């Protein structure tokens, strides 16, 4: 699933492609992608004549802003946006098309059909689900060491599971939680409320640094991720642990191990991330 660095890269590249384009019509080939499905016609009709003014992001969600609406889009596992000419062949897995007056089309492709789109009147998008209960953005002052410490003290879940909770901090998924924990020297099965102040400070620092570096590299292409311009990310070349089970640790050369934590495959170094 695309995490914050991948979604932020999609946001930037998508904004460069579609800003100020005016929507002529909308085609929806998989109604279940629109929440609520019974409102598909309102979804399509409401966007006609609207121009794309801004592409925002909240956690792993994209927000496409027009004059009147905020379209909240979650890419899930395989969702992709791309700009095409109207005479180009439509891929089998294209489920939503925004037809622009200039003859181009923004197409949403999703092999697994897991992606979702919510249409709100602008200003209402943060007052209801799916955005209303999200935690702080990791690049903001709201995500502070004290805030992280306060939240971790409240739970005896494993630190891996706690960091995957989007109510604690947004944007982290399996890739970047594993990476931040390795860089912090914290075992993924440690109880969140067992971390001391020094460990929490280090963890906070590495979460921000890891995500920042990943954004700079355009995200991580592990399976099929590409940005809105069809380019792959490059941060996968910098990964310390994720996807490297059995390979030598880049720090100590010990074989990396894989376990399941909270139902998620988790790779770590048994020497650099000792259980305490």
């Amino acid at each position: 699933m695309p995490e914050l660095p991948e979604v932020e890269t999609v946001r930037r590249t998508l904004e460069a492609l579609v800003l100020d384009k005016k929507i002529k019509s909308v085609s929806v080939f998989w109604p279940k992608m629109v929440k609520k499905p019974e409102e598909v016609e309102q979804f399509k009709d409401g966007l006609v004549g609207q121009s794309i003014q801004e592409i925002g992001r909240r956690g792993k969600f994209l927000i496409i802003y027009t004059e009147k609406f905020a379209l909240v889009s979650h890419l899930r596992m395989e969702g992709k946006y791309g700009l095409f000419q109207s005479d180009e062949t439509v891929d089998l897995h294209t489920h939503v098309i925004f037809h622009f007056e200039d003859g181009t089309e923004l197409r949403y492709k999703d092999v697994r059909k897991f992606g979702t789109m919510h249409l709100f009147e602008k200003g209402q998008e943060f007052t209801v689900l799916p955005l209303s209960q999200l935690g702080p953005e990791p690049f903001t002052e709201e995500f502070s060491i004290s805030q992280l410490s306060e939240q971790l003290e409240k739970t005896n879940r494993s630190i891996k599971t706690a960091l995957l909770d989007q109510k604690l901090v947004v944007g982290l998924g399996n890739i970047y939680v594993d990476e931040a924990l390795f860089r912090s020297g914290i075992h993924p099965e440690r109880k969140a409320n067992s971390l001391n102040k020094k460990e929490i400070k280090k963890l906070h620092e590495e979460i921000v640094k890891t995500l920042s570096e990943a954004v700079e590299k355009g995200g991580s292409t592990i399976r099929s991720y590409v940005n809105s311009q069809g380019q792959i990310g490059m941060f996968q070349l910098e990964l310390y642990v994720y996807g490297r089970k059995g390979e030598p640790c880049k720090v100590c050369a010990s074989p990396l191990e894989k376990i399941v934590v909270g139902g998620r495959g988790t790779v770590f170094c048994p020497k650099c991330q000792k259980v305490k």
Side-chain angles (χ1 to χ4, degrees):
M1 177 186 297
E3 302 178 30
L4 186 151
E6 291 76 46
V7 178
E8 174 61 19
T9 303
V10 170
R11 184 198 72 77
R12 294 179 182 184
T13 54
L14 186 58
E15 190 168 66
L17 292 173
V18 301
L19 210 61
D20 296 325
K21 287 182 178 287
K22 191 171 184 179
I23 299 172
K24 181 179 180 180
S25 62
V26 180
S27 298
V28 178
F29 306 113
W30 188 253
K32 291 182 179 179
M33 201 155 280
V34 177
K35 305 295 180 182
K36 305 174 181 176
E38 66 271 16
E39 297 178 359
V40 168
E41 292 306 315
Q42 295 97 308
F43 176 91
K44 291 160 58 177
D45 294 343
L47 288 170
V48 172
Q50 295 286 298
S51 297
I52 296 180
Q53 298 187 324
E54 178 187 355
I55 308 294
R57 180 191 56 77
R58 183 73 173 95
K60 301 178 186 180
F61 292 87
L62 285 171
I63 311 175
I64 302 174
Y65 286 103
T66 69
E67 292 91 341
K68 295 182 179 180
F69 298 104
L71 172 58
V72 178
S73 172
H74 200 305
L75 304 177
R76 298 296 179 183
M77 299 294 291
E78 299 279 352
K80 297 177 180 66
Y81 281 100
L83 187 68
F84 298 83
Q85 296 296 321
S86 59
D87 58 357
E88 291 184 69
T89 302
V90 177
D91 185 278
L92 174 65
H93 300 293
T94 298
H95 305 301
V96 180
I97 300 178
F98 301 90
H99 307 271
F100 297 122
E101 290 190 345
D102 66 0
T104 61
E105 298 177 346
L106 177 62
R107 299 178 184 176
Y108 178 75
K109 175 181 175 180
D110 193 336
V111 174
R112 299 194 184 190
K113 300 179 181 177
F114 289 165
T116 59
M117 295 183 184
H118 294 75
L119 189 65
F120 301 103
E121 290 187 13
K122 189 183 289 187
Q124 295 184 357
E125 67 273 18
F126 298 114
T127 64
V128 293
L129 293 174
L131 302 183
S132 61
Q133 296 182 9
L134 293 179
E137 290 283 336
F139 300 143
T140 64
E141 292 183 0
E142 186 182 359
F143 181 61
S144 63
I145 296 172
S146 60
Q147 181 272 344
L148 179 60
S149 178
E150 180 181 341
Q151 293 302 312
L152 295 182
E153 287 175 1
K154 296 177 181 179
T155 179
N156 65 355
R157 294 176 294 176
S158 70
I159 185 61
K160 167 76 181 269
T161 302
L163 291 177
L164 289 172
D165 186 348
Q166 300 301 294
K167 294 180 182 179
L168 190 147
V169 58
V170 298
L172 288 170
N174 221 24
I175 298 173
Y176 300 109
V177 169
D178 281 5
E179 292 299 304
L181 289 175
F182 172 81
R183 291 180 177 211
S184 304
I186 298 172
H187 193 282
E189 291 183 310
R190 281 276 302 277
K191 295 295 185 182
N193 57 9
S194 75
L195 271 62
N196 60 41
K197 292 182 179 179
K198 183 177 179 181
E199 289 172 320
I200 293 173
K201 181 179 179 181
K202 179 65 172 175
L203 178 59
H204 179 275
E205 176 186 329
E206 294 301 341
I207 287 172
V208 175
K209 284 178 61 178
T210 301
L211 292 174
S212 296
E213 291 172 17
V215 170
E216 290 177 7
K217 295 285 186 177
S220 301
T221 295
I222 304 299
R223 297 179 182 84
S224 61
Y225 161 75
V226 294
N227 65 31
S228 301
Q229 297 175 348
Q231 302 164 330
I232 66 170
M234 297 303 293
F235 192 70
Q236 67 274 10
L237 302 178
E238 312 293 329
L239 297 175
Y240 283 97
V241 289
Y242 183 86
R244 300 187 63 241
K245 173 190 174 184
E247 297 181 30
C249 174
K250 293 181 179 180
V251 174
C252 72
S254 298
L256 299 177
E257 297 182 4
K258 185 174 183 178
I259 56 177
V260 176
V261 181
R264 307 297 298 274
T266 303
V267 182
F268 71 103
C269 174
K271 185 174 180 180
C272 295
Q273 298 168 268
K274 294 181 178 179
V275 177
K276 295 183 180 181

